């Protein structure tokens, strides 16, 4: 299984695109994973059955975000297979490195500029390279 870190950035979309193209060639399954941190917030007491965010259209919905990204990227890859979608609460580098225990390959994007490892790769990609338990592919940004 190829595990792909997705955060909505152009770099992560390119990583997902790369993994899907590889999957078309190899038949390997793809799992798109979005790690996110819950932002603490104050919630007033609500009666049973009333969702506290029902009237907040700007409230973040990571699973919905991930699904939208996956569908957009899948549409750009001819013959792309279905993709498993997972959201994880936690810091992205740590969460992806831990999830790599069940993967054959971890695929992440990079923003691709700067002089030092974290600047060239980004801190998430650098964390994944240091801590993942499977091989890691770092996909460079798309050429424009």
């Amino acid at each position: 299984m190829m595990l792909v870190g997705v955060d909505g950035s152009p770099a992560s979309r390119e990583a997902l695109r790369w993994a899907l193209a590889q999957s078309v060639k190899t038949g390997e399954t793809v799992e798109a994973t979005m790690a996110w941190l819950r932002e603490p917030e104050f919630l007033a007491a609500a009666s049973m059955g009333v969702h506290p965010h029902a009237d907040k259209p700007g409230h973040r919905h990571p699973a919905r975000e991930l699904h939208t990204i996956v569908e957009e990227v899948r549409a750009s890859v001819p013959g792309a297979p279905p993709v498993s979608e997972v959201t994880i609460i936690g810091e992205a580098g740590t969460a992806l490195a831990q999830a790599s225990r069940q993967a054959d390959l971890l695929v992440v994007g990079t923003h691709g500029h700067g002089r030092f490892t974290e600047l060239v790769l980004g801190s998430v990609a650098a964390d994944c390279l240091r801590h993942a338990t499977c091989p890691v592919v770092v996909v460079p940004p798309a050429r424009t």
Side-chain angles (χ1 to χ4, degrees):
M1 180 265 293
M2 285 188 277
L3 172 67
V4 184
V6 177
D7 65 3
S9 68
S12 73
R13 290 169 187 262
E14 194 60 31
L16 180 57
R17 191 172 291 109
W18 183 90
L20 288 169
Q22 285 301 114
S23 178
V24 169
K25 296 175 189 174
T26 66
E28 188 80 24
T29 60
V30 176
E31 179 179 292
T33 299
M34 177 179 278
W36 63 288
L37 294 174
R38 272 199 179 148
E39 297 175 12
E41 62 181 289
F42 173 77
L43 291 178
S47 64
M48 296 295 283
V50 176
H51 191 279
H53 301 296
D55 61 347
K56 296 180 183 177
H59 188 72
R60 186 162 187 216
H61 297 282
R64 195 177 314 159
E65 288 176 35
L66 179 60
H67 182 71
T68 299
I69 294 163
V70 166
E71 290 305 307
E72 288 172 3
V73 174
R74 277 189 73 230
S76 72
V77 178
V83 175
S84 299
E85 300 170 14
V86 176
T87 57
I88 301 172
I89 297 172
E91 190 278 321
T94 302
L96 290 171
Q98 289 174 349
S100 74
R101 292 183 213 152
Q102 283 77 41
D104 298 310
L105 186 67
L106 172 58
V107 183
V108 294
T110 180
H111 50 74
H113 52 69
R115 296 179 58 196
F116 302 103
T117 303
E118 281 78 10
L119 295 174
V120 172
L121 297 175
S123 60
V124 172
D127 283 349
C128 290
L129 284 171
R130 282 193 284 269
H131 303 292
T133 59
C134 66
V136 179
V137 171
V138 179
V139 179
R143 294 181 183 179
T144 54

